[in-house]
Amino acid sequence: MSFTVIIPARLASTRLPNKPLADLGGKPMVVRVAERAQASGAARIVVATDHADIEQACRAHGIEVCMTRADHPSGTDRIAEVARTLALADDEVIVNLQGDEPLIDPQLLSATAALIADGVPMATVAHPLASVDDVFNPNVVKVVLDKHGRALYFSRATIPWARDAFAQSKDQLPAGYRPLRHIGLYAYSHAFLQTYPTLEAAPLETIEALEQLRVLWHGYPIAVHITSTAPVAGVDTEEDLRRVRTHYQT
């Protein structure tokens, strides 16, 4: 399976300014992310950015980079712009890897890319939840699947709802109940990546504040790769940055 990884990276961040350029063991974070992508077997890795400092940092470390417009509403729109410049075939697979995932398991990228096939234009990742707190946490996005491993619905609510068990207690999870947490790693066919930004926003997407619901609302399937354990968290805060720096110091 041949695939291209595009890494959207913006310098502006409300919680952690200049995050893509944060030093991790002598290299900027965005470079570390690209190095993880290189270990996935991707045919090509491209950083998509709107800032010259990120462009300079990538070029200094031999990472391919493409400048984009600054006014994209999402990272998906940003990588769609870049993909148009790469002269990719419609059936080429593109993986959207966020620029704040320097410890991502490279195998997740290749496994997600492998799910793209005829009739399945988009894929993502999930893992089983074992914590009661996570199951009832609206900041933890859940997904339920059909028998083919495709998403039926994404929600911040607890889905599926264990009606009888939760009527008795919500202090522990019932036996055999393992809801799935959605992980925001995506793969697309190039044709669908160009279609996605043109799709009308869905009412469900607005209610849940989950962009991937737009895809289901318009009738496109999303395949889901299940990994047995939770991927290492990305970098959103100073505490996250300290945690990741510890990894690169060992």
Side-chain angles (χ1 to χ4, degrees), residues 12-244:
S13 172
T14 55
R15 287 192 286 182
L16 196 59
N18 301 327
K19 179 167 62 171
L21 299 180
D23 182 84
L24 297 179
K27 295 181 181 179
M29 183 186 303
V30 67
V31 172
R32 292 295 190 186
V33 175
E35 289 175 343
R36 299 297 280 183
Q38 288 171 340
S40 72
R44 191 173 186 181
I45 295 97
V46 183
V47 171
T49 187
D50 61 358
H51 202 284
D53 288 353
I54 295 177
E55 179 189 31
Q56 182 178 1
C58 290
R59 295 196 187 284
H61 289 86
I63 304 298
E64 185 176 0
V65 60
C66 183
M67 294 296 289
T68 71
R69 302 197 328 258
D71 60 348
H72 285 300
S74 73
T76 308
D77 295 273
R78 191 175 305 281
I79 72 167
E81 179 192 345
V82 170
R84 286 193 295 272
T85 72
L86 300 181
L88 301 176
D90 283 350
D91 61 354
E92 176 72 25
V93 176
I94 297 169
V95 174
N96 178 357
L97 174 60
Q98 297 304 305
D100 57 5
E101 297 280 357
L103 299 181
I104 189 75
D105 179 357
Q107 291 185 349
L108 284 181
L109 279 64
S110 54
T112 307
L115 295 180
I116 303 299
D118 289 342
V120 181
M122 182 171 170
T124 190
V125 181
H127 72 87
L129 285 171
S131 162
V132 171
D133 290 342
D134 285 343
V135 168
F136 292 102
N137 184 349
N139 294 317
V140 174
V141 177
K142 275 71 71 172
V143 59
V144 290
L145 311 182
D146 68 12
K147 69 177 183 178
H148 302 294
R150 298 176 184 177
L152 287 169
Y153 192 64
F154 298 86
S155 183
R156 298 181 182 279
T158 304
I159 56 171
W161 182 260
R163 187 195 66 173
D164 295 340
F166 290 155
Q168 297 178 21
S169 173
K170 298 184 183 70
D171 295 332
Q172 61 183 10
L173 301 182
Y177 175 77
R178 285 293 180 270
L180 296 172
R181 178 181 189 170
H182 174 236
I183 302 299
L185 174 69
Y186 296 102
Y188 320 83
S189 69
H190 180 216
F192 182 71
L193 177 60
Q194 298 305 327
T195 297
Y196 177 83
T198 71
L199 298 176
E200 176 189 1
L204 293 173
E205 167 190 357
T206 303
I207 292 169
E208 294 259 19
L210 297 173
E211 288 185 3
Q212 64 270 32
L213 287 173
R214 183 185 312 181
V215 178
L216 299 183
W217 192 77
H218 283 277
Y220 295 96
I222 302 176
V224 181
H225 171 70
I226 305 299
T227 180
S228 59
T229 57
V232 178
V235 178
D236 288 322
T237 65
E238 286 286 354
E239 182 180 359
D240 292 336
L241 186 57
R242 289 192 293 270
R243 167 178 53 82
V244 172

